[in-house]
Amino acid sequence: MHDIKAIRDNPAAYDAGWSSRGLSPQTPQILELDAALRAAQTQLQVAQSRRNDASKLIGQAKAKKDKAGAATLMAEVEALKGEMADQGEIETRTGAALRDLLASLPNIPDLEVPPGADEAGNVEIRRHGDPVRRNQARDHVDLGASLGGMDFEAAARMSGSRFVVLKGQVARLERALGQFMLDHQTLKNGYIEISPPLMVKDEALFGTGQLPKFAEDLFHTTDGRWLIPTAEVSLTNIVREQIVAEEELPLRMTALTPSFRSEAGASGRDTRGMIRQHQFYKVELVSITAPEKSGEEHERMTQCAEGVLKALGLSFRTMLLCAGDMGFTARRTYDLEVWLPSQNTYREISSCSNCGDFQARRMDARTKPAGGKGTRFVHTLNGSGLAVGRTLVAVLENYQDEGDRIFIPEVLQPYMGGVTHIGGEA
C-alpha cells in the first residue's frame, strides 16, 4: 500500500517508479480521486456543523414561541440530512475506489535498482564456485528414476500434473535438506524457528500483497481460507496490527513448510520434473526491522541464503533484479541462481527482497522507540533459505557420477545416517 500524502507531495517520483515497472502514469487518477474524497469529506463536515448549529437554534426558537423561525430551521435540517447522506455516499464510493487503486499498484523500486523490462536487465553481483560441466549430464528426472526415488506417473494419477512422489533415499535426502537448512538458519544465523498455519484468511494475503491481484495463483479452500504460497505470508503476518518495541527489532523468523501454488501463469514452462510444482517444501526467512536498518538486513539475509549453497558446495550466482523483473511487493530483490548441469545454466533457487514499509502499511504493523512518542511503520523482508525441491534437483545433478551414484555433501551426511552415496554401492 502507498502513502497518499507522499504521493501528493511528490507525484513525479511515484510515476517514475511505476514507469520503471512498465506502468503508465497513475498519479493523475490517484490525485483526482483523492481531491474528490477530500472535497466530499469537507462538505460532509460543513453540513454536519451547520446541522448541529441549526438544531440548537430550533430549540431556542421554540423557547421563544417563534413557530415560523423553528419551521424554517427544521426544513434546513432536513435538507442538510439529505446533503449529508449524499456526501457520505460519495465519500464511501470514492474512498473505496482510491483504496482499490492504491492496493493494485506495486511497490516503488529503490533508486539503486537497475532499469529493465525483464530478466535480461538483471545484473550479476557475484559468483561462487566453478560450474560442473558434463557432456552428457543426466537431469534429475532420469536420475530420480534410476534411483527408484521419483514417481511422476503415480503422482499424476492421484493429483494431476506438477506433483511428484518421492521414495526411499531420495525422499530422505529431501528431508535431510530441509532439516539442514532449518538448523543452519536457526543455529548459525540466529533466526527463530516458527511452525505457522498453512491456511490463512483474506486479510493475511492482502497484507503480504498476494491479494487481490494474484488470486489466480493461489489455492482456495471451501471455507474461505487460502493455502499459503509461501511461509512469508504466515511469518510476516505475525506482526500485523501490532506495535513492536524498537528495541525488540530486528525480528528474524524462519519456517520449513509446504508451499502451494497454482502456477496459473506458468503454462508450458518447466513441465518436466520438479522445477515448478503445485506443492513443494521451502525454508522461508522473514525479518522485521526498523526503517533505517532494512538495507543492511537485506544484505545479511541474502548472505544467510548464500551460506546454504556454499555449505552444500553448489555453484551459484547472485543477481540484482531490474525494476521490471521484481515481485509486486519488493523495492529491491536479489535472486540466487544455482548451476544445473543438465541445463548448462543457472536457475533461480532463492529470492531475497526488501519490501520497505509496503507490506507494513497493508498490515498496519508499526514500531515505537523506547521512551519516544508516536509510531512508524516497520520494514519487512523475506527470502528463501532455500527452496528444498530445487535444492534437491541441484544436489542430484551436481553430485552424480558416471556410475549413477549420487554423492551426499558432507554437511548432509549426519542427516542421512552417515550415508555417503545413494544409488549403486556406497
Side-chain angles (χ1 to χ4, degrees), residues 210-425:
Q210 286 81 11
L211 288 181
K213 192 174 181 65
F214 304 102
E216 67 173 7
D217 295 326
L218 308 171
F219 288 109
H220 201 208
T221 69
T222 56
D223 66 352
R225 294 181 176 86
W226 304 79
L227 296 177
I228 60 169
T230 163
E232 168 203 343
V233 177
S234 304
L235 297 180
T236 309
N237 273 279
I238 286 175
V239 297
R240 73 172 292 111
E241 300 171 7
Q242 301 296 304
I243 298 175
V244 183
E246 201 159 298
E247 58 268 27
E248 296 179 11
L249 301 178
L251 295 178
R252 297 181 178 127
M253 300 172 282
T254 186
L256 169 60
T257 69
S259 298
F260 306 92
R261 299 183 184 179
S262 72
E263 296 294 351
S267 178
R269 297 171 56 196
D270 296 311
T271 56
R272 177 176 168 84
M274 292 183 61
I275 294 295
R276 195 177 299 275
Q277 296 206 299
H278 291 310
Q279 173 188 315
F280 58 94
Y281 283 97
K282 182 159 66 79
V283 171
E284 186 71 6
L285 308 175
V286 163
S287 292
I288 312 296
T289 76
E292 61 275 4
K293 297 291 186 180
S294 64
E296 176 185 333
E297 184 70 13
H298 191 205
E299 300 298 324
R300 182 188 189 276
M301 176 181 283
T302 304
Q303 291 169 13
C304 290
E306 290 177 342
V308 176
L309 291 169
K310 290 178 180 178
L312 292 171
L314 296 171
S315 176
F316 67 92
R317 65 181 184 179
T318 302
M319 308 291 290
L320 176 61
L321 298 196
C322 70
D325 199 35
M326 288 197 308
F328 180 80
T329 62
R331 64 185 291 184
R332 182 181 175 94
T333 297
Y334 291 114
D335 267 11
L336 307 186
E337 298 179 349
V338 70
W339 178 258
L340 294 186
S342 70
Q343 298 184 20
N344 201 38
T345 192
Y346 291 95
R347 294 299 304 269
E348 178 198 339
I349 199 169
S350 170
S351 284
C352 296
S353 297
N354 182 356
C355 299
D357 65 2
F358 185 83
Q359 292 178 324
R361 288 181 178 278
R362 297 167 77 102
M363 297 187 303
D364 192 21
R366 300 171 181 263
T367 185
K368 183 177 182 179
K373 294 183 178 180
T375 62
R376 53 186 181 155
F377 291 107
V378 297
H379 280 197
T380 64
L381 303 94
N382 64 80
S384 301
L386 305 161
V388 178
R390 291 193 180 191
T391 310
L392 174 64
V393 168
V395 168
L396 292 175
E397 293 197 6
N398 281 277
Y399 285 105
Q400 63 182 296
D401 65 19
E402 300 302 324
D404 287 342
R405 295 194 311 169
I406 309 296
F407 174 72
I408 304 301
E410 290 183 7
V411 293
L412 295 181
Q413 290 175 15
Y415 297 87
M416 295 287 292
V419 170
T420 60
H421 295 77
I422 58 175
E425 295 294 328

Side-chain angles (χ1 to χ4, degrees), residues 149-151 164-168 170-171 174 274 392:
M150 284 186 193
D151 193 335
V164 65
V165 171
L166 299 183
K167 304 176 182 178
V170 175
E174 181 193 47
M274 292 183 61
L392 174 64

